[in-house]
Amino acid sequence: MLKLAFKFIRYDRAKSVGIIIAIVISIFLIGQQLGLLFFLMGLMGNLVGNAPVQENEMWIIEAQSNNINSVNTIDQRLVQQIGSLPAVDIAYPVVLAPAQAAFLDGKTAAVTLVGSPVPEFIMGPIPNRIAEGEISSLIDPNAVSAETFSAKTWNTELHLDKPIEINGKRAMITVLTKNAQAFGASLMYTSLENARLLGNADPSKVSLIVAKLNEGADKEQIAQDIGQLFPQLQAWDPKKLESSTVREILITSNMGMSFGTLVLFAMISGFFIIGLTLYSSALDRIKDYGTLKAIGAKKGYVNKLIVAQAFLYAIIGYSIAMLLLFGFKFGVANSGLVIQISVGFALFLLFITLIISIGGSLFAVRKISKLEPASVF
């Protein structure tokens, strides 16, 4: 069946090339747009993604926000109050302070200082996102981290022990991170004391509280208890807070709608281009299909032959599209745009390819299934 289908494909090379190009363009655009969307979604929740989150942690923020990137400050005294709860082992304060960084070459950049207590550094960055330096060096006075991929954005050179100014105060880059970017802001990790000093933060305020729970504690029950005891606070499982952050940004920015529309139109256009081209190709070879029926081929066999052609088109087009996607992935990697092509994502694109190609072939199947052999002679 596949061998005969391949002969039909070779018979009209012009239309075959057109179908394959349509599949390649559709799948490449779908893969590229979804890859970019997943990358941006990762940036949205990177405050959680960069942290060494443990199963027994709860992140506590003010009750009005569902977005970790946009939280109001809360009273420092709440850290001790949360830490005194029976189910809580220890509570840590965290400060997120917006600041202005200035470099010796005159370049400036808006950054967010992420300060957490030492030596735990509960906000990270995690080891696999540290490119150079040691996280312990952030204990030093006025020491901060910097993201290597921000160098191009800031149009400056970044290296260890690079002196900079933050809000007019002298600082030093002692850690370089990689893939620890954030959505809409560049993160600079440091100690809690450095963040307050360099970020001009109010020492009586914190941005969030990270609570380590006792073994066997019920997270949902503790979250309810904190909500009842402290109505101005809301306790989150860190991963749920990350998901909430991504969802809120996608909704408020209409980013999900924009990417979704592009993907949908790529699927629809590919479906109809492939379908109409296969339909036209079937009309050109209608005598061949009529001959097959005349010599005894059943309608089901002829229909399967058309679907087999669509399947081969899908495999060829998908293979080329994936090569282009991997080329795109490696081509933009050095700019900090990290496109992940997992096995699940690749299988999803294959599924979409088969739907577009085989679904489009139904136009031709419908036409040929009604064909009477005598009508073509």
Side-chain angles (χ1 to χ4, degrees):
M1 176 69 74
L2 290 177
K3 186 176 181 181
L4 180 59
F6 187 70
K7 288 182 178 180
F8 270 79
I9 290 175
R10 292 180 59 190
Y11 175 80
D12 191 351
R13 295 184 180 180
K15 284 189 172 65
S16 296
V17 170
I19 293 171
I20 291 172
I21 289 175
I23 293 174
V24 170
I25 293 174
S26 295
I27 299 307
F28 176 76
L29 287 177
I30 292 171
Q32 182 195 52
Q33 293 301 311
L34 289 178
L36 288 172
L37 177 60
F38 294 152
F39 169 72
L40 292 174
M41 289 170 63
L43 294 187
M44 295 171 193
N46 245 4
L47 273 172
V48 179
N50 293 337
V53 176
Q54 298 180 0
E55 190 63 32
N56 67 332
E57 279 187 20
M58 294 200 74
W59 289 20
I60 302 161
I61 59 176
E62 48 85 23
Q64 296 181 2
S65 179
N66 297 321
N67 180 353
I68 186 58
N69 300 308
S70 178
V71 294
N72 295 323
T73 57
I74 54 181
D75 197 310
Q76 163 76 33
R77 290 172 294 182
L78 290 169
V79 179
Q80 287 75 32
Q81 295 178 35
I82 294 293
S84 66
L85 296 177
V88 176
D89 180 34
I90 189 171
Y92 298 98
V94 175
V95 169
L96 307 176
Q100 183 81 10
F103 303 93
L104 297 181
D105 54 10
K107 304 297 190 302
T108 60
V111 300
T112 297
L113 297 172
V114 182
S116 56
V118 298
E120 293 85 0
F121 289 107
I122 53 171
M123 294 299 290
I126 53 179
N128 63 4
R129 297 193 181 181
I130 296 178
E132 297 181 55
E134 299 290 337
I135 193 171
S136 58
S137 66
L138 297 177
I139 298 175
D140 299 338
N142 300 340
V144 296
S145 72
E147 171 62 33
T148 53
F149 289 129
S150 295
K152 289 185 178 180
T153 305
W154 297 341
N155 194 24
T156 190
E157 182 184 353
L158 294 177
H159 56 80
L160 292 182
D161 300 325
K162 180 182 178 72
I164 62 172
E165 285 188 357
I166 298 180
N167 288 341
K169 300 180 181 69
R170 181 181 176 278
M172 182 80 69
I173 295 175
T174 62
V175 170
L176 289 176
T177 60
K178 189 173 184 179
N179 298 327
Q181 310 102 304
F183 185 75
S186 296
L187 302 180
M188 281 188 163
Y189 288 87
T190 186
S191 66
L192 182 66
E193 293 75 14
N194 286 338
R196 281 176 168 159
L197 175 65
L198 297 173
N200 298 325
D202 187 342
S204 66
K205 301 291 184 181
V206 298
S207 301
L208 66 101
I209 302 169
V210 176
K212 300 276 189 179
L213 307 182
N214 294 322
E215 186 176 353
D218 186 341
K219 276 190 173 183
E220 292 186 4
Q221 184 59 50
I222 295 170
Q224 294 178 7
D225 293 342
I226 290 175
Q228 293 175 354
L229 293 171
F230 309 98
Q232 74 276 34
L233 301 180
Q234 187 172 6
W236 291 84
D237 178 277
K239 294 301 180 182
K240 291 182 179 179
L241 180 57
E242 182 181 19
S243 300
S244 174
T245 297
V246 172
R247 183 170 57 252
E248 182 165 305
I249 294 177
L250 287 177
I251 293 173
T252 56
S253 66
N254 288 323
M255 192 179 298
M257 179 69 70
S258 299
F259 279 94
T261 302
L262 288 171
V263 170
L264 182 62
F265 276 113
M267 291 177 61
I268 292 174
S269 61
F271 176 83
F272 282 102
I273 290 172
I274 294 165
L276 293 176
T277 307
L278 279 171
Y279 181 81
S280 173
S281 179
L283 291 180
D284 291 342
R285 287 172 284 179
I286 197 166
K287 288 188 177 181
D288 298 324
Y289 292 116
T291 301
L292 285 172
K293 285 192 171 183
I295 62 176
K298 295 182 179 180
K299 182 172 69 173
Y301 178 86
V302 177
N303 291 345
K304 289 178 182 178
L305 179 60
I306 298 173
V307 172
Q309 293 176 57
F311 176 78
L312 289 177
Y313 283 131
I315 296 302
I316 296 170
Y318 171 80
S319 300
I320 298 173
M322 290 304 295
L323 287 175
L324 293 175
L325 278 174
F326 275 104
F328 174 72
K329 166 187 169 70
F330 293 115
V332 300
N334 290 332
S335 65
L337 184 56
V338 182
I339 304 298
Q340 300 290 346
I341 304 179
S342 63
V343 174
F345 185 46
L347 290 176
F348 170 77
L349 291 179
L350 177 60
F351 177 71
I352 295 297
T353 307
L354 293 174
I355 288 180
I356 291 175
S357 184
I358 295 176
S361 71
L362 298 180
F363 289 101
V365 168
R366 189 167 181 269
K367 175 67 178 178
I368 299 302
S369 64
K370 297 179 179 179
L371 176 67
E372 293 296 334
S375 66
V376 299
F377 297 106

